């Protein structure tokens, strides 16, 4: 029903909507996809004709209910393929995103349902993001950015905001991974950098790193 380019737009609008309470501008979409605003306008017209998006001048673009379901289906495929690549083909978590970007456009619902069952219905991908089930339901876990925590707070690393290979490779060098225990030992008021206890090791990380790590806070 949709071309690969159309699916990329639908998924991008969905992710941008998660960060905004109002319609998404064509400029924001163009920036995210690294393309021209005129190209975005042309694509929005096509998607509007297919009843995937609504566009109102000065109010931006929003997905219809059908558009949101389509986006969630694409995201489900992407995240299931990431799990498959890591768990079954021994890819590292910094290698899977670009491959999954290609595999997410496979159309067969039966293949994806069988893949889900083969993987024993995983709830999260290798980066900690929730995987929608076949009905589009997501398991939501309460989480906070590490940068938002206070000295003395502790918890478990459960996700990343930046899934670029460069960032994930940096985390590997530091020994930071999903499931690791993290405790805030000190916070620098000047630049927000942190000294943390990572399991039994003490390391320093920048505010930029802390703004890309999700923590499930321990409750005493």
């Amino acid at each position: 029903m949709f071309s690969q380019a159309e699916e990329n737009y639908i998924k991008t609008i969905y992710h941008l909507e998660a960060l905004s309470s109002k319609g998404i501008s064509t400029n924001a979409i163009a920036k995210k996809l690294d393309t021209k605003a005129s190209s975005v306008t042309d694509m929005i017209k096509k998607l509007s004709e297919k009843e995937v998006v609504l566009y109102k001048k000065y109010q931006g673009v929003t997905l219809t209910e059908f558009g949101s379901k389509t986006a969630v289906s694409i995201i489900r495929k992407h995240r299931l393929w990431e799990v498959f690549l890591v768990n079954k083909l021994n890819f590292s978590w910094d290698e899977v995103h670009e491959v999954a970007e290609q595999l997410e456009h496979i159309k067969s619902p039966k293949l994806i349902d069988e893949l889900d069952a083969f993987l024993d219905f995983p709830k999260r991908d290798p980066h900690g993001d929730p995987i929608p089930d076949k009905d589009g339901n997501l398991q939501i876990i309460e989480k906070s950015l590490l940068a938002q925590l206070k000295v003395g707070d502790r918890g478990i690393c459960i996700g990343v905001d930046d899934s670029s290979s460069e960032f994930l490779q940096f985390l590997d060098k530091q020994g930071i991974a999903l499931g690791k225990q993290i405790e805030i030992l000190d916070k620098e008021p000047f630049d927000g950098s942190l000294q943390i206890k990572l399991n039994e090791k003490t390391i320093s990380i920048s505010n930029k790193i802390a703004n890309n790590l999700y923590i499930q806070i321990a409750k005493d």
Side-chain angles (χ1 to χ4, degrees):
M1 176 180 277
F2 299 106
S3 68
Q4 183 171 326
E6 288 171 336
E7 289 191 346
N8 286 337
Y9 270 83
I10 294 168
K11 187 177 69 169
T12 296
I13 295 168
Y14 180 87
H15 286 310
L16 289 171
E17 279 190 332
L19 304 174
S20 175
S21 59
K22 53 187 179 180
I24 308 305
S25 70
T26 53
N27 285 336
I29 299 169
K31 182 178 180 181
K32 187 74 173 177
L33 290 171
D34 192 24
T35 190
K36 297 177 181 178
S38 59
S39 299
V40 175
T41 300
D42 291 341
M43 179 61 78
I44 294 306
K45 288 178 182 177
K46 292 180 183 178
L47 295 177
S48 182
E49 289 169 1
K50 293 187 176 184
E51 300 183 341
V52 177
V53 301
L54 296 173
Y55 175 72
K56 293 183 180 179
K57 198 170 184 179
Y58 307 120
Q59 295 182 35
V61 179
T62 56
L63 290 173
T64 62
E65 183 178 351
F66 172 55
S68 292
K69 287 182 178 179
T70 302
V72 169
S73 173
I74 299 165
I75 290 165
R76 176 176 181 243
K77 289 186 283 184
H78 182 104
R79 294 176 180 174
L80 283 172
W81 284 120
E82 288 192 334
V83 174
F84 176 75
L85 292 166
V86 169
N87 291 3
K88 304 300 181 181
L89 297 185
N90 299 316
F91 279 67
S92 61
W93 69 335
D94 62 281
E95 295 176 313
V96 296
H97 182 73
E98 289 186 5
V99 181
E101 286 277 305
Q102 301 169 51
L103 293 170
E104 71 185 24
H105 300 292
I106 291 173
K107 305 299 182 186
S108 171
K110 181 179 180 181
L111 172 61
I112 301 307
D113 289 343
E114 292 295 336
L115 177 65
D116 196 11
F118 176 67
L119 295 170
D120 198 22
F121 307 102
K123 301 297 184 186
R124 303 206 152 251
D125 73 10
H127 309 117
D129 293 315
I131 300 174
D133 64 19
K134 66 182 299 181
D135 297 317
N137 300 310
L138 284 166
Q139 182 187 56
I140 304 301
I141 295 178
E142 189 175 337
K143 62 185 180 181
S144 302
L145 285 171
L146 182 58
Q148 297 172 342
L149 305 189
K150 305 183 299 293
V151 173
D153 285 342
R154 57 187 175 82
I156 298 173
C157 181
I158 62 167
V160 296
D161 194 49
D162 180 354
S163 58
S164 67
S165 59
E166 293 84 0
F167 180 63
L168 299 178
Q169 288 167 10
F170 173 84
L171 295 184
D172 285 339
K173 289 177 183 176
Q174 296 296 322
I176 300 172
L178 303 191
K180 292 284 188 177
Q181 294 272 356
I182 293 177
E183 180 180 355
I184 309 290
L185 300 178
D186 194 20
K187 191 168 189 175
E188 176 57 53
F190 175 67
D191 61 0
S193 58
L194 300 175
Q195 186 179 61
I196 63 172
K197 184 177 181 182
L198 181 67
N199 287 354
E200 297 305 317
K201 183 174 66 171
T202 298
I203 64 172
S204 295
I205 60 173
S206 69
N207 180 258
K208 182 177 181 179
I209 301 301
N211 266 303
N212 279 291
L213 290 173
Y214 285 113
I215 305 298
Q216 185 176 28
I217 301 175
K219 296 182 179 179
D220 298 321

